[in-house]
Amino acid sequence: MSNNYPNAPNILQQGHAAAWSGAWEEAAGFYRQAYENNPDHPRAAFFLAHSLLEMGDLENSRHYYEIAARLSPDDPFPIEKIGLIYEQQGKVAESIQFYENSAELFLKKENSLRAAGCLQHILKQNPDHADARHKLTSIRHSSDLDLSELSKLVDEQPAQTLPEPSQAAKKSQDPLEQAHETALAGLAALFFELASSSKTKQTVPETETGSPKTSFRDLSEDPECLNLLNHLNRAADFLARGMNDWGEIELLALLQAGINNPAILFLLGTLLSESEPAQALSHLKQTRAYPDYALASFLLIGKIYYAQANYPQAAAAYLQALAVADSSTPSPDHQNKQPGAYTPLIQSYCRETDSTFQKNLCETIEQEINRPDWLDHLAVLHSQIAMPQHKDDTLLAELLAAGGSPLVQRFAEVKELEGNDHSHSAMEEIFYMIEDGPALLPAQLLLGENLGKQGHTGEAVQKFKLAAKLYALRGQTDQAVQALEQAVLLTPLDIPTRTRLIELLKKQSRIDQAVVHLRKLAEIHYQLAEPEKAHGNLTDAIRLTLTSPSNRVLSIELFHQKADLYMQDLQFQKACQTYEQILSLDPVNLTANVRVAALNYRLGNRDIAKQKMNGFLHFLIENQKADQIEPYLKSLSEELPEVLEIRKQLADWYHKHGNKAQTIEQLNMIAEQLMKKGKNEAAVIVLKTIIALNPVDAARYQQIIDQFGQPDE
């Protein structure tokens, strides 16, 4: 590796100056320039990665950390940072792997404190990681650094840094308490990081033996870092003692020193939420992007806006909190939850002019999820309202917004009544639900299903169509689609409803489903003797599929369906053109090749037909696809049994490949066709060819020849 970096030091220093002032974008520019000037410079790549990480650009940051690790494979710092990025992205297995690797490298360099920090991150993600716990215990027993209260915090609560949902520790804490514990553990990890980075390994000789020994210089040699560690230590101490005002001062000092850590930001957001709400919002809007703090951050943001009577913003924050909590719920019906499913609902509820509704929404969500058993509670609610035939990612949110847990319970009771075939009792309950919340669309859907079961098809369809219209106005297209799908199940021949369904599916780029309904619509129009409309539906479907190469197979299927309709209507010219379009997509499509040749024969274009047939046979031979020749000629002879030259080619193919029985069979059919046409002399020639093949019943063929007499020589 080259050590000649003529321009790097000055540029890097400019980058350091920008970074210290918090101008990370400017710093990234200097570091990028240093790296581009010297691509073999590992520190330039490292500093660029760090600045991108501070800017929140995780993917590009990881890319440059990987470059730094490749340029300097014995350096544990880039590997540690890659682990951190994977941790922030929620990729637990990858994060743990990189933290393990970096911990090993730190231990090799006798930097036990930094290794301990990596192991803490592993335990934060997997408290049951036995190897990490064992190594961390060994490090702590051998370390001579006094970590004071911060060290005790980590030692006393190692398993509560980030417990799994099933653990008792997490079940006993509400989301705010969980995030608070995580933030305190984050301070501990930050302390380890700063303490270890301030150390420089020194080697001094023993006075007697002359053998070297390793030591670490005192923290007092790095007063700036020591000052940060003191702030961290005091912050943890004050917060542990409940002296929040003093803890707030220490955290603000760290923030002003450029330590923009999510744990610090979240703790400040919590502490300032009542006294300085504007500052608290600024901090919490940053921490809501981190998985460990997202739920608590949205709850606190909602509380602040609620206290300010800003109910639209408060409702949006609470709904976002519910979305985060919902995505964590181990519910079978929520495993395939669509990203962004809550966005249209949030926008709709924020546009509400009824502030009382928004206020009640905030209070309901606060009550339902800011509780110690929130995970289990949401899982139970989901199990009560699961609707396999109507997947709705925001169903729980709509029910909670309209009436909280009691409405969820009533919804569950209606489902139970429906399941027990008590349709009339279920309908009464549904009407009560609609009276309490006329805009509750899930209740309208339940009513539609109930009416459909009782045979009131027209009324049921109207309910589904109304619900679909309202869902579409809200921007909840998924739900609108599901409502219309239920409507067309009841009335398959309802063309306007199916057309509207297709429009919504197109809007969502759900090509496969839109094509299914377009094909069904084509069948309906054809049954109604409206072939032009049927072809129009298929053409629309083909246009949709041709937008992506991945839909090529589906496009070919649609062309075949369109060609079949032309064949049924005896429009052979259009059918032939359609099969040609298939061949432009799939030149070896057997059916299309057969039909193109056959249709040209029927249209009187014998020369073109022969050209197509011979051209395809040549193509198959040239492209090592000779195994397709037999099925092609066989299918073509079935399409055109009267065209003897095709059957003659098939007989020649069988004879060439030693298939005597099939050769005789084809020659026999040719002879029969010739005799039917009165071409006895030609038939006798074919019969003699058969006899030359030495068939078992040669005598029978000779008798037939004798009946006709010898042809003129």
Side-chain angles (χ1 to χ4, degrees):
M1 186 183 297
S2 172
N3 290 319
N4 182 24
Y5 310 130
N7 299 320
N10 186 45
I11 298 173
L12 287 178
Q13 287 171 10
Q14 294 179 67
H16 297 337
W20 185 249
S21 65
W24 291 110
E25 188 171 352
E26 184 180 354
F30 286 118
Y31 293 143
R32 190 183 302 278
Q33 185 180 351
Y35 171 75
E36 290 174 352
N37 289 343
N38 304 281
D40 290 335
H41 194 324
R43 302 311 291 165
F46 180 86
F47 290 134
L48 175 55
H50 179 73
S51 60
L52 292 170
L53 180 60
E54 290 292 337
M55 292 163 60
D57 189 350
L58 299 184
E59 287 299 321
N60 283 319
S61 175
R62 178 166 60 83
H63 170 71
Y64 285 103
Y65 276 130
E66 288 171 348
I67 292 174
R70 187 170 65 250
L71 293 173
S72 184
D74 294 328
D75 186 356
F77 288 93
I79 300 173
E80 179 192 32
K81 293 297 185 181
I82 295 171
L84 174 65
I85 291 172
Y86 278 130
E87 182 182 0
Q88 291 187 9
Q89 292 176 329
K91 298 178 179 179
V92 176
E94 294 89 339
S95 176
I96 288 176
Q97 181 63 55
F98 278 92
Y99 276 133
E100 286 178 331
N101 295 342
S102 59
E104 288 295 328
L105 289 173
F106 279 126
L107 289 173
K108 286 180 181 179
K109 293 178 178 291
E110 300 184 30
N111 192 341
S112 58
L113 290 175
R114 195 77 182 205
C118 294
L119 296 171
Q120 276 292 327
H121 279 280
I122 294 173
L123 291 173
K124 177 182 176 183
Q125 298 176 85
N126 181 6
D128 298 324
H129 199 292
D131 187 52
R133 189 172 299 283
H134 173 73
K135 288 181 179 178
L136 187 59
T137 302
S138 300
I139 290 171
R140 286 174 178 161
H141 288 165
S142 62
S143 174
D144 59 353
L145 180 66
D146 180 16
L147 302 181
S148 186
E149 293 299 321
L150 204 54
S151 175
K152 295 175 185 176
L153 172 66
V154 181
D155 286 336
E156 290 171 1
Q157 299 178 347
Q160 293 186 18
T161 54
L162 189 62
E164 294 298 319
S166 61
Q167 294 183 346
K170 188 164 186 176
K171 288 184 178 179
S172 64
Q173 295 178 316
D174 63 40
L176 298 182
E177 292 169 339
Q178 291 171 19
H180 186 77
E181 290 294 321
T182 300
L184 292 178
L187 290 185
L190 181 58
F191 185 93
F192 281 125
E193 182 177 347
L194 289 174
S196 56
S197 64
S198 71
K199 299 298 183 184
T200 58
K201 184 176 172 181
Q202 295 179 337
T203 303
V204 296
E206 289 282 349
T207 56
E208 295 181 2
T209 64
S211 61
K213 73 172 185 178
T214 301
S215 66
F216 293 95
R217 67 178 171 82
D218 195 274
L219 281 172
S220 61
E221 296 181 16
D222 190 350
E224 188 173 339
C225 188
L226 179 60
N227 185 44
L228 294 175
L229 289 172
N230 286 334
H231 283 306
L232 267 173
N233 198 32
R234 288 195 296 268
D237 186 22
F238 287 140
L239 293 174
R241 297 181 187 184
M243 301 169 66
N244 292 341
D245 289 344
W246 291 100
E248 177 187 319
I249 292 172
E250 300 298 334
L251 292 171
L252 285 170
L254 288 165
L255 196 61
Q256 290 167 1
I259 309 299
N260 196 29
N261 184 280
I264 295 173
L265 291 170
F266 177 77
L267 289 169
L268 280 172
T270 304
L271 296 171
L272 297 170
S273 59
E274 294 184 4
S275 59
E276 297 289 343
Q279 289 185 40
L281 285 172
S282 175
H283 299 319
L284 293 169
K285 286 179 180 179
Q286 295 181 66
T287 58
R288 64 188 176 183
Y290 293 85
D292 288 346
Y293 306 108
L295 175 54
S297 297
F298 280 123
L299 284 172
L300 286 170
I301 291 170
K303 282 175 175 286
I304 293 171
Y305 282 130
Y306 181 89
Q308 297 173 343
N310 187 346
Y311 298 126
Q313 290 295 332
Y318 272 110
L319 283 168
Q320 287 169 320
L322 180 58
V324 173
D326 218 3
S327 65
S328 305
T329 307
S331 172
D333 66 310
H334 248 50
Q335 289 178 352
N336 298 317
K337 184 171 169 25
Q338 295 295 318
Y342 269 76
T343 302
L345 187 68
I346 292 172
Q347 293 173 344
S348 174
Y349 283 175
C350 286
R351 289 194 297 265
E352 279 283 345
T353 56
D354 184 357
S355 60
T356 302
F357 169 79
Q358 293 168 334
K359 181 173 180 288
N360 292 338
L361 170 63
C362 298
E363 293 168 356
T364 298
I365 296 178
E366 169 74 20
Q367 179 182 349
E368 298 296 340
I369 63 176
N370 195 14
R371 48 193 286 172
D373 62 341
W374 64 275
L375 265 176
D376 289 342
H377 180 60
L378 288 182
V380 169
L381 294 179
H382 273 301
S383 67
Q384 291 177 331
I385 64 173
M387 298 175 66
Q389 75 280 14
H390 185 80
K391 182 181 177 298
D392 186 348
D393 291 331
T394 61
L395 175 58
L396 179 60
E398 293 188 64
L399 293 174
L400 290 178
S405 294
L407 185 58
V408 173
Q409 183 60 40
R410 177 174 283 181
F411 193 90
E413 290 171 358
V414 170
K415 278 182 55 199
E416 185 177 355
L417 289 170
E418 290 278 13
N420 294 327
D421 292 328
H422 299 313
S423 298
H424 291 290
S425 299
M427 182 172 285
E428 291 180 10
E429 288 296 325
I430 295 170
F431 278 127
Y432 289 136
M433 290 173 64
I434 293 175
E435 286 179 7
D436 293 341
L440 184 62
L441 297 184
Q444 298 286 350
L445 293 176
L446 277 180
L447 181 57
E449 291 174 13
N450 186 284
L451 289 167
K453 288 179 181 178
Q454 295 187 52
H456 303 298
T457 303
E459 296 176 59
V461 169
Q462 289 304 314
K463 289 294 179 186
F464 288 133
K465 289 166 69 174
L466 174 62
K469 183 177 181 180
L470 294 174
Y471 273 129
L473 288 173
R474 284 185 183 179
Q476 293 176 271
T477 311
D478 281 340
Q479 290 83 345
V481 164
Q482 291 184 59
L484 290 178
E485 284 176 338
Q486 289 182 278
V488 297
L489 279 175
L490 290 174
T491 54
L493 301 180
D494 186 345
I495 293 175
T497 301
R498 195 179 294 274
T499 302
R500 175 57 178 155
L501 173 58
I502 292 167
E503 291 173 359
L504 292 178
L505 291 169
K506 287 181 181 178
K507 184 178 179 180
Q508 291 190 303
S509 298
R510 291 159 67 175
I511 303 301
D512 289 353
Q513 290 170 269
V515 167
V516 167
H517 289 286
L518 279 167
R519 294 175 82 166
K520 183 63 180 176
L521 203 55
E523 292 174 9
I524 294 170
H525 281 303
Y526 196 77
Q527 291 169 4
L528 296 173
E530 297 174 337
E532 291 304 318
K533 290 183 178 179
H535 284 294
N537 298 140
L538 292 175
T539 300
D540 287 345
I542 290 168
R543 287 198 190 102
L544 288 177
T545 59
L546 290 176
T547 58
S548 171
S550 62
N551 293 320
R552 177 174 162 273
V553 173
L554 186 54
S555 301
I556 292 170
E557 286 181 17
L558 291 165
F559 273 121
H560 274 294
Q561 186 176 352
K562 191 173 177 65
D564 287 343
L565 291 184
Y566 282 132
M567 293 289 286
Q568 292 176 41
D569 290 340
L570 305 180
Q571 297 187 55
F572 297 136
Q573 187 66 49
K574 289 184 177 180
C576 188
Q577 292 169 355
T578 305
Y579 284 120
E580 291 279 12
Q581 289 177 296
I582 294 173
L583 294 179
S584 69
L585 296 173
D586 182 14
V588 296
N589 189 283
L590 193 66
T591 302
N593 275 289
V594 168
R595 291 285 172 82
V596 165
L599 286 169
N600 274 294
Y601 266 109
R602 290 178 180 174
L603 292 168
N605 303 322
R606 295 180 65 86
D607 291 339
I608 295 176
K610 288 180 182 179
Q611 181 185 351
K612 295 288 185 182
M613 181 179 70
N614 293 328
F616 184 57
L617 292 172
H618 180 73
F619 173 85
L620 292 175
I621 294 170
E622 287 290 317
N623 289 276
Q624 288 79 46
K625 295 181 181 294
D627 59 319
Q628 296 294 309
I629 291 177
E630 178 188 349
Y632 171 69
L633 290 173
K634 193 172 181 180
S635 298
L636 191 56
S637 64
E638 290 170 357
E639 285 276 336
L640 301 167
E642 73 281 4
V643 182
L644 300 184
E645 57 192 285
I646 297 173
R647 203 171 293 281
K648 176 64 168 60
Q649 285 215 39
L650 182 57
D652 290 342
W653 175 261
Y654 284 135
H655 181 62
K656 181 180 178 181
H657 289 81
N659 195 332
K660 177 180 172 180
Q662 292 287 354
T663 304
I664 292 172
E665 180 183 353
Q666 295 302 320
L667 290 173
N668 189 64
M669 286 190 279
I670 292 172
E672 288 178 355
Q673 287 287 335
L674 289 170
M675 287 186 284
K676 286 180 181 178
K677 295 178 179 180
K679 298 181 179 181
N680 296 336
E681 292 184 1
V684 168
I685 294 172
V686 174
L687 291 171
K688 285 186 174 183
T689 304
I690 294 174
I691 292 173
L693 294 172
N694 195 25
V696 176
D697 52 351
R700 182 173 67 85
Y701 289 109
Q702 186 59 53
Q703 285 180 342
I704 298 173
I705 292 174
D706 293 341
Q707 290 176 5
F708 291 118
Q710 295 292 330
D712 296 334
E713 295 293 337

